[in-house]
């Protein structure tokens, strides 16, 4: 499964089967996490529960259902660049897990911090956790309602754009990138990143603060735009930082 296909398939999963992830799949995740850590300089870790019936992490019952026996802890420094990289590489991890048939969700606060024991180094912060498991064959009605309420507030594609050109007149690859950003997750469900198009160049910038998670979202949005643009025939990558430019390959 390509990253584009995984991006199209991925949803924010808030209901999980009472089923453990197989050891072989966990090993694939660990290998991939090691690769991401090498590339990024961050320190993601996979945690699991081996105790019968005991989840590895307790999620807020008002937002989630079902036990979660595995999760990834996304730790990094508290500076903007580390936060942005965490969003960028964390989204890669989510898409890889999706390609393995797993359900995931970005979770910044709606979990019981006392239920986990994550090792942190000096200067590190636990920014987000990613529960990892299997989605139920039939999504519970409550979870459908929560998802509908959250997605109802999504911005329209043209609302992501800062340009003297109308959205409909943009190059196809720019529209595809913006559409991918819209379909992607947001660490705080606030979608605080805009895409600026000027003189044929594309930039990603934060337009509002979201409880300190805006740089997480900047990284997520950049990754999503890259996936959409590449699928439309214009592969490239963003430079780091608020206002980073999309460099075509």
């Amino acid at each position: 499964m390509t990253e584009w296909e995984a991006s199209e398939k991925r949803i924010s999963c808030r209901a999980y089967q009472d089923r453990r992830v197989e050891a072989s799949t966990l090993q694939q995740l660990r290998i991939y996490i090691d690769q991401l850590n090498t590339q990024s300089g961050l320190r993601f870790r996979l945690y699991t529960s081996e105790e019968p019936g005991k989840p590895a992490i307790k999620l807020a019952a008002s937002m989630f259902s079902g036990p979660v026996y595995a999760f990834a802890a996304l730790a990094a420094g508290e500076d903007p660049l580390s936060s942005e990289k965490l969003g960028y590489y964390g989204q890669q991890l989510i898409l890889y897990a999706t390609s393995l048939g797993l359900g995931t969700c970005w979770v910044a606060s709606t979990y019981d911090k006392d239920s986990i024991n994550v090792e942190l180094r000096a200067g590190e912060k636990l920014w987000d956790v990613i529960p990892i498991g299997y989605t139920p064959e039939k999504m519970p009605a409550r979870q459908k309602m929560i998802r509908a309420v959250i997605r109802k507030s999504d911005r329209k594609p043209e609302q992501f754009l800062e340009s003297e050109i109308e959205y409909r007149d943009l190059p196809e690859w720019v529209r595809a990138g913006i559409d991918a950003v819209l379909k992607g997750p947001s660490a705080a469900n606030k979608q605080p990143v805009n895409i600026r198009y000027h003189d044929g160049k594309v930039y990603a910038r934060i337009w509002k603060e979201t409880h300190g998670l805006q740089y997480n979202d900047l990284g997520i949005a950049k990754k999503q735009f890259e996936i959409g643009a590449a699928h439309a025939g214009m592969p490239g990558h963003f430079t780091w930082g608020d206002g980073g430019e999309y460099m075509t390959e």
Side-chain angles (χ1 to χ4, degrees):
M1 184 183 295
T2 66
E3 283 192 325
W4 167 260
E5 291 168 337
S7 179
E8 289 290 288
K9 182 179 180 180
R10 181 215 66 87
I11 65 168
S12 293
C13 180
R14 295 181 177 85
Y16 294 87
Q17 294 183 37
D18 189 354
R19 173 187 171 190
R20 295 178 183 275
V21 179
E22 292 78 4
S24 59
T25 303
L26 290 173
Q27 182 61 14
Q28 288 178 275
L29 284 169
R30 289 190 178 97
I31 291 171
Y32 190 74
I33 286 172
D34 286 345
Q35 293 172 351
L36 290 180
N37 288 340
T38 298
Q39 294 171 21
S40 67
L42 301 175
R43 203 166 66 93
F44 296 171
R45 291 195 64 186
L46 182 67
Y47 290 85
T48 63
S49 171
E50 303 301 331
E51 298 181 46
K54 181 179 179 181
I57 185 172
K58 292 182 180 178
L59 301 172
S62 60
M63 295 294 291
F64 296 89
S65 64
V68 176
Y69 296 113
F71 73 94
L74 307 188
E78 298 193 48
D79 58 288
L81 178 58
S82 294
S83 177
E84 181 186 349
K85 284 186 173 183
L86 184 140
Y88 184 92
Y89 289 100
Q91 183 61 7
Q92 283 191 220
L93 174 57
I94 276 184
L95 296 177
Y96 181 72
T98 301
S99 75
L100 296 177
L102 300 168
T104 63
C105 186
W106 279 93
V107 182
S109 60
T110 50
Y111 66 96
D112 181 1
K113 294 179 175 58
D114 292 333
S115 73
I116 62 174
N117 183 23
V118 174
E119 299 174 13
L120 296 175
R121 294 174 179 170
E124 281 186 337
K125 171 183 176 179
L126 180 61
W127 286 91
D128 305 276
V129 296
I130 299 174
I132 299 171
Y134 293 100
T135 59
E137 293 184 7
K138 184 177 181 180
M139 190 66 68
R142 178 175 177 79
Q143 303 309 318
K144 288 183 179 179
M145 180 188 70
I146 291 173
R147 176 173 171 78
V149 169
I150 291 174
R151 299 305 299 197
K152 186 177 181 181
S153 63
D154 282 354
R155 303 160 72 201
K156 304 298 182 184
E158 54 270 18
Q159 292 177 304
F160 285 86
L161 176 65
E162 296 179 6
S163 179
E164 62 277 6
I165 298 175
E166 295 291 334
Y167 175 80
R168 63 176 179 270
D169 297 324
L170 290 171
E172 180 184 359
W173 66 272
V174 180
R175 294 198 310 272
I178 292 175
D179 289 349
V181 173
L182 173 60
K183 291 177 182 177
S186 173
N189 299 311
K190 299 297 184 182
Q191 300 175 320
V193 177
N194 279 352
I195 299 300
R196 181 171 181 259
Y197 180 77
H198 180 69
D199 286 344
K201 296 182 178 181
V202 171
Y203 309 87
R205 81 166 194 92
I206 296 168
W207 68 277
K208 70 174 180 179
E209 184 174 340
T210 54
H211 308 293
L213 295 171
Q214 61 272 13
Y215 280 93
N216 279 191
D217 282 326
L218 180 63
I220 295 171
K222 285 181 176 180
K223 181 60 187 178
Q224 285 294 121
F225 186 97
E226 290 174 4
I227 291 170
H231 185 71
M234 192 62 74
H237 66 277
F238 278 100
T239 58
W240 297 114
D242 188 7
E245 180 180 351
Y246 186 73
M247 313 298 291
T248 58
E249 296 176 0

